[in-house]
Amino acid sequence: MDPGFTAEQDGIRRTLRELLHKRCGPEELRAALDTPPGHDPALWAALAEQLGLPGLALPEAYGGVGCPVTDLALAAEETGRALAPSPLLATSVLAAPLILALGTDAQRADLLPRICDGTLTAALGVPAPALATALALTGPQDGDWAGGGRAGGIQARRVQGVWRLYGEAAQVLDGHSVGALVVAAHTGGFVRSRTLLFVVPGDAVGLVRTRQTALDATRPQARIQLRDVRAELLGSEEEAPGVPEALSRAGDFAAAFLACEAVGAADRALERTVEYLGRREQFGRVIGSFQAVQHRLADVYVQIQAARSAAYYAAWAAGGPGGPDGRAGPDGRVGGLALAQALEALRRAAAEGIQLHGGIGFTWEDEAHLFFKRAAGDELLFGPVHRLRAHAAEAARLFERTEVSV
């Protein structure tokens, strides 16, 4: 592993930071959250046109930039610093890799070029609260998390050669505004029970989408209802056994992406706190000059740096064929461990920032609460932290008893 950045990576990070600084400041952020999609479409268009960000890690054959997924994960550190609300996570991290891995040639040729140029956004829809389970982040993909033939979940059946979906999914990231949905649905009954992925256009007949009130407003979520909706199978039924593996790999990369994003947010939260303590005075002295305050900030800094190292390693491992020891794939849970560490660092940096800001830190007008809600919201969606770590320990067989004969 080379710990240094390439010139291209430095260029991507620098350009992205400059663009977000101009287009996604505190006022622009709050204005975007109040719009129907929950993000600024003009900013999304700029990210696509100027940086090619939606297609950064997609092949050039489909109009992408062709960079490794490592570059996209590292770019997430900058979007995390700005808490930039955008469909990047839903589209380029969760949906696009599944289309690339499982889609037919025709489906890839139809969907991926439009994702790369930013004209099509997409989202992954699974029954709530099964997102972390579907992505194999907090445990094995055991059980009928997609529905299992019982009430709830999402069911798929074929009627006269046409697939129809019915059911409901909540906590679908950007599900209310995307142009296409990749939906996980259960089919086959008891004998041939399996989970398949389907592509559903955003304007499909019978599809009802409602934006939900989310703890983290910078991460818009939706509830989708499928009322006998016509859908297209992603790939073929012969590839159905590969669905769990594709979801696991998508989850491992998503965890690395989210870890880098959380590190960026934590770094910015600490930076804001240091700036404030450098100008706020108490008892005739700048607050930041008190040794007890400096100790607390130093502890946060060390925790962020440790989380950054873990996040970079997870990003590098997700971009390789198997990592340094073959454990970077779905069984290694490298991304899950990095995500757990990054979320803890973000939560602590945000909590310290709120407290050290004093009364203003608890108000809606200040930005401090947004960083805390990002940490709590991500943990609700992709965690919690203790389960991320427990799954990694199980995958590594850390607590298995071994008999030693003498």
Side-chain angles (χ1 to χ4, degrees), residues 93-166:
V93 179
L94 295 178
L98 295 173
I99 297 171
L100 181 63
L102 299 175
T104 63
D105 292 339
Q107 289 171 332
R108 293 173 185 168
D110 175 43
L111 299 173
L112 293 181
R114 291 187 288 152
I115 287 177
C116 290
D117 64 20
T119 57
L120 177 67
T121 53
L124 173 64
V126 302
L131 182 58
T133 302
L135 297 175
L137 290 175
T138 56
Q141 296 163 315
D142 296 337
D144 297 318
W145 54 266
R150 300 182 297 276
I154 302 174
Q155 311 296 324
R157 62 181 179 180
R158 189 156 44 188
V159 180
Q160 297 180 350
V162 177
W163 285 100
R164 318 289 298 193
L165 303 184
Y166 59 99

Side-chain angles (χ1 to χ4, degrees), residues 72 87-99 122-125 131 135 137 171-173 182 197 246-247 250-255 257-258 382:
L72 182 58
L88 181 65
L89 172 61
T91 301
S92 302
V93 179
L94 295 178
L98 295 173
I99 297 171
L124 173 64
L131 182 58
L135 297 175
L137 290 175
Q171 299 177 325
V172 180
L173 295 174
V182 177
L197 296 179
L247 285 168
D252 213 37
F253 172 57
F257 178 94
L258 289 163
F382 303 100

